[in-house]
Amino acid sequence: MKKLHLLFLMIGVTASAQFTQKPLPYAYNALEPFVDAQTMEIHYSKHHAAYVKNLNAAIVGTEAEKLSIKEIFANVSKFSPAIRNNAGGHYNHELFWSILTPEKNTKPSPELEKAINDAFGSIDALKEKLNAAAATRFGSGWAWLYVDKDKKLAISSTPNQDNPLMDVAENKGTPILGIDVWEHAYYLKYQNKRADYLSAIWNVINWNEVSNNFKAATKGKFDDWPALKDFHKVMSQTFHPSEEGNLEPIRTRSKEMVEKANLLAKSTIPAEFNKKEVVAAVQKLAVDSKKLDKLVKSKKSDKELTEALTKLHDVFHEIIGLCTNEEH
């Protein structure tokens, strides 16, 4: 009986573990001589693994248990230090592993190289500025190359396991390259010579991946599609109250929702979002908005209205997912 209870306990623990550690994309010794194998093994299998384990423990029973890592960052000031530190530790290391490679002579894409030249003058100047940010970060932390709200490249550093995605960050944006300057990232090989580590790390930067990150971060934003933003405003202001049992907003604004859905269906879809699946979903949004409006006018039950509004909300987020290639 005790064994059966233990089995159920183990299943429960496994089921609640939201976040997992991706396999390291290369061998521990693949980045030699710039990053030594012992450091890589300890860094990945001990430090990063601990952040994942502690994050999953910290979110149990909290709102964060239902959120993605980026949603946690957007509201990280509301959560405990354990969630903040371990969520940051997990995300930051996942990014770090991905932008390192044993492959030689990778180069920034033409688009990224132009953006680097525009922002800093040259790739060498970028390296100098990013290394300076990393070298002057007092204590433990990270240095970042990130895309700001204007889709421009910028450099910053953050303490501990913070990053530019967090609502507490002084400089906010989307990281595309991060350099770990915690001592555990370099001390076994470089001891207290952080500058030597920062010089060496550029030999294993995966510019292909950094370029992919840049492309994703500068992909057309929904600011480029005003009609979608307008629909989202009505959706947000009616759906979220319905989750609390308040259907008055949708009862009074269903006609407005139809109008916004029709305008969205007639709007010009930005080129980066213009694909048949998005077009079909937008048309369905318009049709379903009309159906919901008819239900409101027919004074249908709260249950029927809630179900119809939820389905409409799902279609809206299907559009978001198609446009971002992410779960939303």
Side-chain angles (χ1 to χ4, degrees):
M1 188 70 182
K2 288 183 178 179
K3 290 183 178 179
L4 185 60
H5 176 74
L6 179 61
L7 176 61
F8 286 140
L9 180 61
M10 290 174 65
I11 292 173
V13 170
T14 302
S16 67
Q18 179 178 348
F19 298 102
T20 57
Q21 187 179 23
K22 293 178 182 177
L24 197 67
Y26 33 74
Y28 291 134
N29 65 352
L31 305 183
E32 294 270 15
F34 309 107
V35 182
D36 61 286
Q38 186 179 14
T39 293
M40 283 299 304
E41 182 173 3
I42 295 172
H43 200 170
Y44 174 81
S45 67
K46 303 298 183 184
H47 291 283
H48 183 192
Y51 286 122
V52 178
K53 178 181 178 181
N54 293 336
L55 173 59
N56 286 324
I59 64 175
V60 172
T62 73
E63 182 185 348
E65 197 170 16
K66 301 177 181 179
L67 301 180
S68 70
I69 196 81
K70 291 184 179 179
E71 288 171 332
I72 290 175
F73 292 155
N75 300 279
V76 79
S77 59
K78 300 177 183 178
F79 297 120
S80 68
I83 292 177
R84 173 177 171 176
N85 293 334
N86 289 295
H90 175 39
Y91 173 89
N92 295 352
H93 283 92
E94 291 278 84
L95 178 65
F96 189 50
W97 309 139
S98 74
I99 57 92
L100 301 179
T101 181
E103 185 180 348
K104 305 299 182 184
N105 301 318
T106 64
K107 295 180 179 180
S109 66
E111 294 78 12
L112 176 56
E113 185 172 7
K114 181 180 184 304
I116 289 171
N117 290 337
D118 289 345
F120 310 109
S122 68
I123 293 177
D124 286 341
L126 159 66
K127 294 177 181 179
E128 182 179 344
K129 292 178 185 296
L130 193 55
N131 280 1
T136 56
R137 167 48 57 187
F138 182 77
S140 301
W142 291 75
W144 304 100
L145 175 65
Y146 68 98
V147 175
D148 67 16
K149 62 182 179 62
D150 297 318
K151 302 183 187 177
K152 304 294 185 182
L153 290 177
I155 287 171
S156 69
S157 71
T158 55
N160 303 316
Q161 293 295 350
D162 287 359
N163 64 54
L165 289 168
M166 293 183 174
D167 65 354
V168 296
E170 182 178 354
N171 300 292
K172 296 179 177 62
T174 303
I176 65 172
L177 187 161
I179 298 179
D180 190 345
V181 291
W182 283 63
E183 286 190 342
H184 63 239
Y186 62 87
Y187 202 84
L188 289 179
K189 181 176 178 65
Y190 297 97
Q191 286 79 53
N192 64 328
K193 300 174 184 177
R194 184 187 286 186
D196 290 352
Y197 158 71
L198 294 173
S199 178
I201 201 72
W202 292 102
N203 290 283
V204 290
I205 292 295
N206 186 346
W207 284 109
N208 295 333
E209 188 64 22
V210 177
S211 297
N212 290 336
N213 294 341
F214 174 73
K215 182 178 180 180
T218 54
K219 187 177 180 179
K221 305 300 181 185
F222 295 116
D223 288 344
D224 301 330
W225 197 356
L228 185 64
K229 290 183 66 180
D230 289 344
F231 181 86
H232 173 248
K233 184 176 181 180
V234 181
M235 171 60 73
S236 178
Q237 293 172 351
T238 55
F239 175 73
H240 293 304
S242 76
E243 292 183 294
E244 305 297 327
N246 179 12
L247 291 171
E248 186 61 24
I250 190 57
R251 290 186 187 278
T252 58
R253 299 183 67 182
S254 63
K255 180 180 178 181
E256 181 185 357
M257 182 171 283
V258 172
E259 293 171 350
K260 297 297 184 184
N262 286 337
L263 289 172
L264 177 60
K266 296 175 182 178
S267 68
T268 300
I269 302 176
E272 59 268 33
F273 305 144
N274 197 351
K275 43 192 173 184
K276 62 180 182 180
E277 295 87 355
V278 173
V279 173
V282 168
Q283 295 301 323
K284 180 172 175 55
L285 201 70
V287 171
D288 288 356
S289 294
K290 292 177 183 177
K291 290 180 180 178
L292 175 59
D293 185 48
K294 288 182 179 179
L295 291 176
V296 170
K297 290 177 179 177
S298 301
K299 298 183 179 181
K300 295 296 183 178
S301 68
D302 287 1
K303 180 180 178 181
E304 289 176 289
L305 292 184
T306 299
E307 289 177 351
L309 182 57
T310 299
K311 288 180 181 178
L312 191 65
H313 179 261
D314 290 344
V315 174
F316 171 75
H317 280 291
E318 178 186 349
I319 296 170
I320 299 297
L322 289 168
C323 291
T324 61
N325 295 317
E326 293 181 1
E327 292 183 4
H328 190 83

